[in-house]
Amino acid sequence: MKTRIEVPYNTLFGPDNLPYGVFAAEGQNFRVGVRLGEQVIDLAAALEDPVFAEPSLNAFMAAGPRRWQDVRNRIRELIDGEIPGEAVHLLHDVRTKLPVEIGDYVDFYASIDHATNLGRLFRPDAEPLLPNWRHLPVGYHGRAGTVVVSGTDIVRPHGQHRTSSDTTVFGPSQRLDIEAELGFVVGIGSELGTPIDIDQFAEHVFGVALVNDWSARDIQAWEYQPLGPFLGKSFATSLSAWITPLAALETARIRLPKQEPEPLPYLRGSQQWGLDIDLAVHWNGQTVSHPPYSRMYWSPAQMLAHLTANGAATRTGDLYASGTVSGSEPDQRGSFIELSWGGAEPVTVNGLHRTFLEDGDEVVITASARGSNARRIGLGEVRGRIWHARN
């Protein structure tokens, strides 16, 4: 028996979007699906292609851009007609898991507004941007093994930090924070010793997903000099369950803000990869921030070019994130350390004055991008709730 999926014209998940995820219906194994409206299409059943019976997107991503486009065309043809009924599931009836097997994880620091805000907080008597910031996309290597799918509870981490009396203690973080970010998933890797040219970005990156880089600011502040983030970041990073293919964001591409000084040649490309994407941060159900990705200083193409400039290899499933997305206005800040200005200016959340995360708090980050015909396309959500520290 076949069926036709009807979706509202103004849905964020229409035929121009078609994000991929890995899902399981009741009594079935995990497999690859594509979201259309509030339904999930089982691609193994609909396309009769065994690569989509795998419990991750990696095998499909490794097939390369031509295969990605061919499948996208086949899906759009399929949904214009009728789909086998057994291949269609309601979104709220399925379980999702991490959609990719992640090899390596790198996090950047690409927002000039975020970097400037933190510079002013941490170095109030100095220039907010360090000398290298405008010359290269600053980043650090994270921990791939603690990337978790949206909806996973986050346990408050332990670590060393300094008290107000300048005593070093070990215990649960008291300044637990979020970072609203965009993540980029590598589909085709690169060989050791061979950099990826900046204009080869779309040949290597499969898609985009929302990221929450949970951050323990007190642990981070004590440990990050001289080598950078470690335990203050590595305890958890949340990734949305749905990966928006790069092809769906073609109409969202915009020019980058002006970069001064002009980047070195390996960071100059002929293609523009600024993105018109608007994020929203929801704290216990209240929207507290609207970070605009359009203001990001460094593009994802520049990040990938720099990541591999020294010959570092990449693999299918590698994830790199943009760093906190923040804007120039107070209500566009993508972390709570910025929103509360280091805790000095509490945020009112549901009538309560708040600075950092408390046990039981839930944070949801959503986003949409400019689509065609004045419509928006959705990037889903990344959700997480804080649990108390374990002894």
Side-chain angles (χ1 to χ4, degrees), residues 56-138:
S56 82
L57 281 163
N58 287 50
F60 171 53
M61 294 192 302
R66 181 173 295 180
R67 171 87 158 121
W68 306 341
Q69 189 59 53
D70 287 346
V71 168
R72 184 170 172 83
N73 292 340
R74 288 177 62 197
I75 294 170
R76 296 175 85 167
E77 291 172 0
L78 183 70
I79 62 180
D80 280 341
E82 294 185 327
I83 303 173
E86 66 272 16
V88 180
H89 303 270
L90 292 175
L91 182 65
H92 63 69
D93 287 341
V94 305
R95 295 175 293 131
T96 54
K97 67 182 288 289
L98 202 63
V100 295
E101 296 174 9
I102 297 173
D104 285 304
Y105 168 53
V106 173
D107 197 19
F108 284 94
Y109 190 47
S111 164
I112 194 168
D113 297 301
H114 175 67
T116 299
N117 286 337
L118 290 197
R120 287 172 176 159
L121 282 168
F122 295 158
R123 299 180 299 277
D125 299 323
E127 286 294 320
L129 295 180
L130 293 174
N132 66 344
W133 198 91
R134 289 181 180 270
H135 291 268
L136 55 85
V138 174

Side-chain angles (χ1 to χ4, degrees), residues 16-20 72 206-208 243-250 377:
D16 291 340
N17 190 348
L18 302 176
Y20 293 92
R72 184 170 172 83
F206 172 77
V208 177
I243 310 295
T244 301
L246 207 58
L249 296 174
E250 190 64 33
I377 67 170

Side-chain angles (χ1 to χ4, degrees), residues 9-352:
Y9 176 81
N10 62 348
T11 179
L12 294 175
F13 298 95
D16 291 340
N17 190 348
L18 302 176
Y20 293 92
V22 173
F23 79 100
E26 186 175 0
Q28 296 184 2
N29 295 327
F30 280 102
R31 56 187 53 213
V32 176
V34 71
R35 180 174 176 178
L36 179 64
E38 298 305 307
Q39 288 84 29
V40 179
I41 301 172
D42 178 346
L43 293 181
L47 301 181
E48 298 181 342
D49 190 331
V51 75
F52 298 115
E54 297 290 326
S56 82
L57 281 163
N58 287 50
F60 171 53
M61 294 192 302
R66 181 173 295 180
R67 171 87 158 121
W68 306 341
Q69 189 59 53
D70 287 346
V71 168
R72 184 170 172 83
N73 292 340
R74 288 177 62 197
I75 294 170
R76 296 175 85 167
E77 291 172 0
L78 183 70
I79 62 180
D80 280 341
E82 294 185 327
I83 303 173
E86 66 272 16
V88 180
H89 303 270
L90 292 175
L91 182 65
H92 63 69
D93 287 341
V94 305
R95 295 175 293 131
T96 54
K97 67 182 288 289
L98 202 63
V100 295
E101 296 174 9
I102 297 173
D104 285 304
Y105 168 53
V106 173
D107 197 19
F108 284 94
Y109 190 47
S111 164
I112 194 168
D113 297 301
H114 175 67
T116 299
N117 286 337
L118 290 197
R120 287 172 176 159
L121 282 168
F122 295 158
R123 299 180 299 277
D125 299 323
E127 286 294 320
L129 295 180
L130 293 174
N132 66 344
W133 198 91
R134 289 181 180 270
H135 291 268
L136 55 85
V138 174
Y140 71 92
H141 282 269
R143 187 171 179 82
T146 51
V147 178
V148 296
V149 72
S150 173
T152 304
D153 293 331
I154 306 301
V155 176
R156 183 177 296 274
H158 285 77
Q160 281 194 30
H161 51 91
R162 297 284 276 182
T163 68
S164 57
S165 60
D166 285 337
T167 302
T168 304
V169 299
F170 179 85
S173 170
Q174 301 302 306
R175 292 166 67 90
L176 190 55
D177 197 359
I178 65 135
E179 291 191 342
E181 307 190 15
L182 211 57
F184 301 88
V185 180
V186 173
I188 295 293
S190 55
E191 293 182 0
L192 184 66
T194 305
I196 295 176
D197 185 270
I198 188 169
D199 284 332
Q200 294 177 328
F201 167 72
E203 298 172 29
H204 289 268
V205 169
F206 172 77
V208 177
L210 285 170
V211 167
N212 185 348
D213 181 35
W214 304 92
S215 301
R217 299 299 185 186
D218 42 3
I219 299 172
Q220 180 184 359
W222 177 233
E223 72 179 4
Y224 84 103
Q225 294 181 353
L227 290 181
F230 190 38
L231 299 187
K233 296 278 194 176
S234 62
F235 60 96
T237 301
S238 295
L239 181 72
S240 57
W242 298 96
I243 310 295
T244 301
L246 207 58
L249 296 174
E250 190 64 33
T251 54
R253 289 173 60 178
I254 57 175
R255 296 187 66 84
L256 287 174
K258 188 174 182 180
Q259 296 179 323
E260 293 181 325
E262 184 180 25
L264 294 175
Y266 79 99
L267 293 174
R268 300 179 211 157
S270 62
Q271 305 171 19
Q272 288 291 329
W273 276 104
L275 292 168
D276 180 4
I277 297 176
D278 293 328
L279 285 72
V281 178
H282 315 274
W283 192 351
N284 291 340
Q286 179 179 322
T287 305
V288 295
S289 179
H290 295 274
Y293 194 85
S294 58
R295 283 187 56 83
M296 297 297 275
Y297 189 88
W298 295 105
S299 78
Q302 289 173 315
M303 296 178 215
L304 184 62
H306 186 65
L307 190 161
T308 62
N310 66 346
T314 59
R315 295 175 288 179
T316 297
D318 282 1
L319 171 69
Y320 67 96
S322 62
T324 304
V325 182
S326 288
S328 58
E329 301 299 322
D331 65 352
Q332 295 178 330
R333 297 167 180 169
S335 65
F336 296 159
I337 192 171
E338 293 172 88
L339 276 173
S340 69
W341 206 246
E345 301 173 7
V347 181
T348 301
V349 180
N350 300 326
L352 301 174

